[in-house]
Amino acid sequence: MRGAEDKMKMDDQMNIKIPKELKENFYFTCKQNRINSSALVRRWIEQFVTKENEAFHIDTFSQETRLDLARYMKTRLESSDDHN
């Protein structure tokens, strides 16, 4: 079974401007770590919105966020490995 993210209807897009080199490095790093780049960005946005709504100061690159993302990706990878 897949996560709650897969149950959400993905019916909209966001376009952002970033330096080409940053984009290439991001995709390369995601690929090397077997991370879905779109899922990762959605996770960052979800965390930001959740924390903002809880009236906490948001630091998207805090140690806490990095640990949350690592746990999330570990779970996703383990789930993916279980299906292979």
Side-chain angles (χ1 to χ4, degrees):
M1 180 167 172
R2 303 195 68 174
E5 175 183 290
D6 296 326
K7 295 176 185 174
M8 290 188 295
K9 183 177 178 185
M10 301 297 171
D11 60 353
D12 210 349
Q13 296 182 0
M14 286 179 59
N15 295 307
I16 62 169
K17 290 198 177 270
I18 61 173
K20 183 177 181 176
E21 184 176 345
L22 177 60
K23 176 186 162 191
E24 290 170 352
N25 286 334
F26 175 68
Y27 284 131
F28 176 79
T29 303
C30 286
K31 186 175 181 176
Q32 292 296 321
N33 290 291
R34 298 177 51 204
I35 296 170
N36 179 298
S37 58
S38 293
L40 182 59
V41 172
R42 281 191 295 272
R43 178 74 171 159
W44 288 337
I45 293 169
E46 289 168 3
Q47 287 182 335
F48 174 82
V49 170
T50 298
K51 288 182 181 183
E52 185 67 23
N53 287 338
E54 293 173 354
F56 285 113
H57 173 72
I58 304 303
D59 178 6
T60 57
F61 297 104
S62 70
Q63 180 68 18
E64 177 185 2
T65 299
R66 287 193 298 271
L67 290 172
D68 287 344
L69 289 169
R71 284 189 211 94
Y72 171 76
M73 294 314 303
K74 182 176 185 253
T75 302
R76 295 285 295 195
L77 288 173
E78 287 171 350
S79 175
S80 173
D81 289 345
D82 290 345
H83 291 95
N84 290 331

